[in-house]
Structures are given as structure tokens and as C-alpha cells.
Amino acid sequence: MKYYQLFYLLVFYNWSNAQQSVKMTYEQKIFYNDAFFSQIPGGASEEFKAAFRKPKVFELTNNSEYSLFRSTVEKEIVIASKEVSTATSIDKGTFIKPFNIWILKDFVKKSIISSTEVDKQEYYVEKPFSKETLKYDNRIKDIDGYKCLSAYSIGTANDTIQYWYTQEIPIIDGPFNVTSIPGLVLSVESKKKVIYVTKIEFFDKKLVIDGVNKKTPFVTELELKIKIEESRKPKSYTDEFGKKFESNTVIIKAGN
């Protein structure tokens, strides 16, 4: 064994014994254009646009066996209506409910469990790690003091998805479903959105990661799709005063 190989192994051994867990904080910005907001019934107010353009914060906790990527706690946003209420018409404003992300990676089983809520009922979908088609080049970038290498893939509509990952923190992980890039992904960039690390914390103990809720049912991807489609159909309901209403779902395309 060559000296530098032994030195690398010793450094890795010391790091893995000193650091048992890593927690990353990410921010995501999505670039919504005017065409997106033009789909909003009645038009989108400046408050509505600001709420959608506000960066979303996530946390990724990795203890080498599992990792959990999830949204931080957000409050529901209420945008007051400018319409004048009458005896027969009350406009309570616009309610923007946070869309929560919860993704658990099992590095022993090499599987991903994601959580989705449909009509106030939570469901789990489990699938194996996927192997993404990636290309690597020789570009290097410094992010938060870490030397990052470059990988990229070509997404839909010829959109290049750029990954910046470091091997100076010896774990293979990243935001959302990233599992196949040989390092820790600190930034993902595309023309539609960017997600980037804002904080990295190291722990000399193995952090406990919340697992699945035993009361939450597992479904297949097809079953979940059917449940989502059913939830979007018009529904009739009666309020506390006995008045009947019908709810409708408006699909807003994010690809504009």
C-alpha cells in the first residue's frame, strides 16, 4: 500500500470516528415568471407573488445508515381579500398552505420512502434507489469553503440540471432523491430553480432520525396517483350555518 493511500484511509477513519452525523440546511428558490401567475383565477396580487417567491428551507440529517430530508415548519399564509363582504357573500381571502416534503433514505436497504398528504390523509411510497444518467466534467467551485466537483444531467425541455458536490465530507447524499452522485451535494441549479446549502453542522454522536409512522399506510405510485386525481374532483360540502358549497381544484402548470 502506498503511503498516500494509507494516509487517506487514516484520515477517513479518524473523521468517521469523530463525526457520526451531519446536518445540512438548504434554501430553495423557484423562478416563477409572469406566465405562471397569469394562470391564477382573478389575477395574482403582489402579496401572492411574494409568498410563492419566498425561499423554502429544508433540513437534511444523515447518520450514515439513514438520512431524512424534510421541510422546516412553515405557517399557512393568509392574504386578506380586498372585496367587501355582504350578507350573502363573504370572501375570507386567499389561503396558501405550505407543501411539506418528507423523504427518508435507507442506505442499508437502498430504498427511499416519501410522504404525501391527500385530503388530510398521509401516505407513504417506497421505491429503490435510482441510477441517474449523469455527466462529469473538470469544473471546480468553492461552496462554503469546500471544494466542489461538477456533475450534470439533461432534464425535460433540454434543461440542464447542474450538481455541485464535495468529497471532503465523506458521505453520499443530497437534497430530495439524490443518491447516485459520489459525494455530498451542496448545490443544485437549473433554469427553473436553485437549491443551495446555507449551513453545515457536524455531530460526534449518532443522531436519531425519525422513521416511518406505523399508522401511515404504504401505497404504490399508481395508487397514490389515483388518490390525488380523486381528491381534485369537485366536492360538495355544507358549512356550519347549513349553507351548501362546491369546491373546485384549479391546476396551475409550473412549467411556464
Side-chain angles (χ1 to χ4, degrees):
M1 179 180 288
K2 294 182 180 179
Y3 175 77
Y4 70 86
Q5 291 176 317
L6 176 62
F7 176 77
Y8 175 79
L9 291 175
L10 286 174
V11 170
F12 184 87
Y13 175 80
N14 290 335
W15 191 97
S16 62
N17 277 272
Q19 311 292 344
Q20 296 294 321
S21 303
V22 186
K23 180 183 287 186
M24 283 71 63
T25 302
Y26 293 88
E27 282 192 6
Q28 177 180 264
K29 292 182 179 179
I30 299 178
F31 308 123
Y32 296 103
N33 56 25
D34 291 337
F36 172 83
F37 292 111
S38 67
Q39 301 173 84
I40 308 300
S45 65
E46 292 305 314
E47 293 89 347
F48 187 95
K49 293 178 181 179
F52 266 71
R53 286 171 171 158
K54 180 182 177 182
K56 192 171 180 65
V57 181
F58 300 93
E59 285 184 351
L60 174 65
T61 304
N62 182 299
N63 69 4
S64 74
E65 288 184 318
Y66 300 94
S67 81
L68 180 61
F69 181 77
R70 63 181 175 185
S71 317
T72 56
V73 177
E74 291 185 62
K75 294 182 179 179
E76 185 178 77
I77 298 173
V78 181
I79 300 174
S81 174
K82 295 180 181 179
E83 297 294 327
V84 178
S85 297
T86 67
T88 58
S89 177
I90 300 176
D91 190 336
K92 295 183 178 180
T94 303
F95 293 79
I96 301 177
K97 184 179 180 180
F99 180 76
N100 294 318
I101 300 293
W102 189 96
I103 299 172
L104 179 69
K105 298 172 189 172
D106 185 331
F107 293 101
V108 178
K109 292 173 57 181
K110 296 189 181 302
S111 69
I112 295 176
I113 299 174
S114 57
S115 167
T116 302
E117 186 177 292
V118 183
D119 283 340
K120 298 183 180 180
Q121 169 65 56
E122 183 183 22
Y123 298 97
Y124 289 138
V125 172
E126 184 173 13
K127 58 184 179 181
F129 284 178
S130 60
K131 186 70 175 179
E132 189 173 6
T133 302
L134 296 164
K135 297 182 179 180
Y136 297 86
D137 53 34
N138 296 320
R139 288 183 295 167
I140 297 174
K141 183 177 183 179
D142 182 277
I143 297 177
D144 202 25
Y146 293 96
K147 175 184 174 182
C148 291
L149 306 176
S150 169
Y152 65 94
S153 63
I154 307 299
T156 57
N158 272 339
D159 184 14
T160 299
I161 303 172
Q162 175 69 53
Y163 301 92
W164 293 102
Y165 66 97
T166 183
Q167 295 179 324
E168 295 179 352
I169 302 174
I171 61 175
I172 296 176
D173 206 351
F176 295 99
N177 293 336
V178 172
T179 57
S180 58
I181 296 176
L184 176 60
V185 176
L186 300 187
S187 178
V188 184
E189 305 164 1
S190 71
K191 67 180 181 181
K192 296 179 180 178
K193 62 185 176 182
V194 59
I195 182 167
Y196 50 92
V197 72
T198 58
K199 186 178 181 181
I200 304 175
E201 300 173 87
F202 299 96
F203 299 85
D204 58 4
K205 62 180 181 179
K206 195 167 189 175
L207 295 180
V208 176
I209 292 178
D210 294 335
V212 298
N213 184 339
K214 293 182 179 180
K215 295 182 180 180
T216 300
F218 280 81
V219 296
T220 65
E221 289 185 278
L222 177 58
E223 289 171 333
L224 181 62
K225 181 181 178 181
I226 293 172
K227 290 180 183 296
I228 292 174
E229 290 174 349
E230 286 293 320
S231 73
R232 291 172 175 172
K233 292 180 179 179
K235 293 182 177 64
S236 297
Y237 65 96
T238 304
D239 68 7
E240 64 270 28
F241 303 108
K243 192 172 182 178
K244 293 185 177 180
F245 296 88
E246 186 174 82
S247 65
N248 290 283
T249 300
V250 177
I251 308 298
I252 305 298
K253 294 181 179 180
N256 286 339

